[in-house]
Amino acid sequence: MNVKPKILIVDDRLKNIIVLEEMLADLDIEMVRANSGQEAVEKANKTEFALVLMDVRMPGMDGFETVEKMRKNPLNELIPIIYITAFYNEDYYRVKGIKTGAVDFITKPIIPDILIGKVTVFMKIYRQRKNLEEEIIWREEIEKDLKKAKELAEDATRAKQKFLSTMSHEIRTPLNAIINTVNLLREEEPRSDQLDSLEILKFSADNLLQIVNDILDYSKIDAGRIEFEKVEFEMRKLLTGVKQSFDYEVNRRHLVLDLRIDEGIPMVLLGDSTRLTQILINLVGNAVKFTEKGSIIIEAKPVKKYNGQIDIGFSIIDTGIGIPEDKIEVIFESFTQASSSTTRKYGGTGLGLAITKKLVELQGGELKVKSVVCKGSTFSFSLPFLVSDKKFVEDDPHQKSAFHSLKGLKVLVVEDNLVNQKIVSKYLTKWEAKFDIAENGRVAVEMVEKNRYDVVLMDLHMPEMSGYEATLKIRAMNDDYYQELPIIALTASVFLEDREKIFQFGMSGFITKPFNPKELFWTISPFLKKRD
Ligand code: ADP
């Protein structure tokens, strides 16, 4: 504390005040004089004093009366008062003094050391009190700052999520159009030189979509908003599917991709097959990308079995470029690659391993890597699954290979985007389904009232009336048909809240954009059977 404590010396005789001032001259304090009770009260009302040295006998208002008046001001209620008196130890004065709240008496003649000792103690107490007060104010300010910082951080996170969801929509919608148009063009028997250009276009668009998805996935994991499903799946089929998706690339580059599945792995398991596929695609994708000659082996074997559960260990072993020892830790960080030339030579964002590691860890596993430069790398992890006693998974639409006709199915496509309208129309025509198009929610509601449909494909964000509002209106209509009509949302959002909202508004499911023709087909085809 920098400000000197002030003490008020009250005496009608200047000589006495000067004597006291001289005695206390060595103390680090500021002394203020008052020649009468009245002056003392006035000064004490204006200034905060650490201590008052009060003469008892004064003409007019005596010391006791002065203190009583001073105490009336709440600010002065607790100022320590030392009475300076010549009335020795008379009890009458002592009692009166104490009643007015005196803390001490000093009798005249004053012994300097006693005065200095007493004043020093009060100054110490005063300083301590001031320090405490300052600390309280300081802490209150820190608390305020912390609260503000927390609010700012929460605002920033909300803004980030909002930005990402908007960005997801804005980027994925045109990308959707590009990918689907390329898919359609590829099916229209292009010339071989056109096919080459289309392949490049498709590769780049798929790649861009992968990057956007990676960034969104990473931010979702980062915000702790990821949930894992438990679905029945066949591990052998899943691993074969992962292998097949790299066969073309592996053959083209004369590499060997080998799948080694241990006999002890049960046929049907329960777990998050989508996330497992994502993890494996990432690791096998890296192994293929970073291997110029030799082989890649995908290995799966049981590690531990207990109470209907099984831990399966996976290893992806390559004979590629390897990772230097000092880079092993950093490759798992987001946006980090082992060498600055990696992007130029092999592409990628450095997000794959960061996501993969989190996906493994969030399911209770650990992702490990062993690597020797120029010899190869092995990435391994193990994950728990529940064991099912089934031998195969029935009704798995994704396993069916060919599309059949959707003749007889009547679909209402509610979509404001012309490109998307065209794409869905082309597929529906190809599958021989009948369909109408509504350009917004309001038109959709009218058409649903006039016609009978087997399924509605409902875009969410449209002018005039959104898909949410249109669904609410349809569900509120008076007939079982309106409650049972399957309404499938078309959404570009990958956020869980948006998906939950879809069901809250009474929709029956969703398809994510860009459309995957297979997903579209397998989502709407069951409604054909229902009508038969
Ligand atoms: P990306 O592949 O997009 O660059 P990842 O996070 O998947 O990002 O990988 C980060 C880095 O780790 C890669 O850039 C590469 O340097 C290194 N890496 C990953 N897998 C392998 C592998 N099998 N062989 C050699 N290096 C690898």
Side-chain angles (χ1 to χ4, degrees), residues 109-131:
I110 298 166
I111 301 163
D113 284 346
I114 292 183
L115 177 72
I116 292 170
K118 290 191 173 175
V119 172
T120 308
V121 169
F122 282 105
M123 290 308 101
K124 266 194 190 154
I125 293 173
Y126 178 76
R127 282 202 170 90
Q128 272 174 359
R129 203 189 84 209
K130 279 281 146 196
N131 283 342

Side-chain angles (χ1 to χ4, degrees), residues 59-77:
M61 206 192 292
D62 70 7
F64 300 132
E65 229 181 300
T66 307
V67 172
E68 264 169 29
K69 283 222 162 118
M70 272 182 169
R71 293 272 191 239
K72 290 216 167 97
N73 184 339
L75 283 177
N76 298 327
E77 225 172 4

Side-chain angles (χ1 to χ4, degrees), residues 15-251:
K15 198 185 80 195
N16 287 350
I17 293 182
I18 292 171
V19 170
L20 285 174
E21 283 176 350
E22 277 171 6
M23 286 183 191
L24 298 173
D26 289 342
L27 297 185
D28 188 22
I29 54 176
E30 188 183 322
M31 288 174 271
V32 177
R33 297 170 181 177
N35 294 318
S36 68
Q38 189 56 38
E39 195 185 340
V41 173
E42 280 164 18
K43 289 200 164 155
N45 280 342
K46 281 192 212 133
T47 312
E48 187 198 61
F49 290 102
L51 175 70
V52 180
L53 296 178
M54 177 71 74
D55 183 26
V56 173
R57 266 175 59 155
M58 288 184 291
M61 206 192 292
D62 70 7
F64 300 132
E65 229 181 300
T66 307
V67 172
E68 264 169 29
K69 283 222 162 118
M70 272 182 169
R71 293 272 191 239
K72 290 216 167 97
N73 184 339
L75 283 177
N76 298 327
E77 225 172 4
L78 296 172
I79 307 185
I81 312 270
I82 298 180
Y83 284 113
I84 313 266
T85 167
F87 298 109
Y88 309 110
N89 294 330
E90 280 182 42
D91 283 348
Y92 169 75
Y93 288 105
R94 282 200 168 264
V95 172
K96 210 168 170 193
I98 283 165
K99 273 189 181 159
T100 58
V103 292
D104 212 342
F105 288 86
I106 291 182
T107 45
K108 293 177 186 170
I110 298 166
I111 301 163
D113 284 346
I114 292 183
L115 177 72
I116 292 170
K118 290 191 173 175
V119 172
T120 308
V121 169
F122 282 105
M123 290 308 101
K124 266 194 190 154
I125 293 173
Y126 178 76
R127 282 202 170 90
Q128 272 174 359
R129 203 189 84 209
K130 279 281 146 196
N131 283 342
L132 265 177
E133 277 174 9
E134 270 178 19
E135 190 159 323
I136 288 170
I137 292 171
W138 182 67
R139 274 178 198 273
E140 277 171 358
E141 267 166 19
I142 288 187
E143 241 163 63
K144 253 194 246 158
D145 287 351
L146 277 176
K147 216 173 137 203
K148 222 171 160 183
K150 190 171 160 254
E151 279 165 10
L152 278 176
E154 282 167 358
D155 283 353
T157 311
R158 268 193 294 274
K160 188 174 115 184
Q161 291 305 338
K162 178 103 189 42
F163 169 75
L164 282 171
S165 90
T166 315
M167 191 186 85
S168 118
H169 195 260
E170 296 300 322
I171 298 181
R172 286 161 56 106
T173 304
L175 250 186
N176 154 30
I178 296 173
I179 293 174
N180 286 310
T181 313
V182 172
N183 283 342
L184 283 172
L185 286 173
R186 272 161 32 117
E187 285 170 28
E188 284 175 2
E189 291 168 20
R191 294 195 312 263
S192 73
D193 58 320
Q194 286 174 328
L195 190 63
D196 286 347
S197 307
L198 284 175
E199 287 307 324
I200 295 170
L201 201 56
K202 181 168 165 46
F203 177 79
S204 307
D206 282 346
N207 204 10
L208 184 55
L209 184 65
Q210 182 58 47
I211 293 171
V212 173
N213 285 345
D214 269 2
I215 292 175
L216 290 170
D217 235 354
Y218 185 74
S219 73
K220 231 186 340 171
I221 295 173
D222 207 29
R225 288 200 330 214
I226 189 158
E227 282 178 13
F228 293 94
E229 316 181 302
K230 267 204 171 40
V231 292
E232 278 186 345
F233 69 98
E234 292 176 41
M235 182 63 89
R236 277 182 183 71
K237 274 192 182 156
L238 186 146
L239 291 169
T240 310
V242 170
K243 179 183 175 295
Q244 274 169 357
S245 61
F246 290 99
D247 276 345
Y248 173 78
E249 173 73 3
V250 164
N251 287 336

Side-chain angles (χ1 to χ4, degrees), residues 211 214 282-291 296 316-324 327-328 330-340 342-343 346-356 369 371 376-379:
I211 293 171
D214 269 2
N282 255 323
L283 295 177
V284 179
N286 274 346
V288 172
K289 186 158 85 170
F290 295 107
T291 301
I296 294 111
I316 290 85
I317 307 152
D318 69 50
T319 56
I321 59 171
I323 304 156
K327 292 289 181 329
I328 292 264
V330 298
I331 56 165
F332 293 105
E333 286 166 18
S334 43
F335 304 108
T336 312
Q337 300 182 319
S339 128
S340 53
T342 308
T343 311
Y346 301 97
T349 53
L351 268 180
L353 281 182
I355 295 173
T356 307
V369 55
S371 189
S377 315
T378 299
F379 283 81

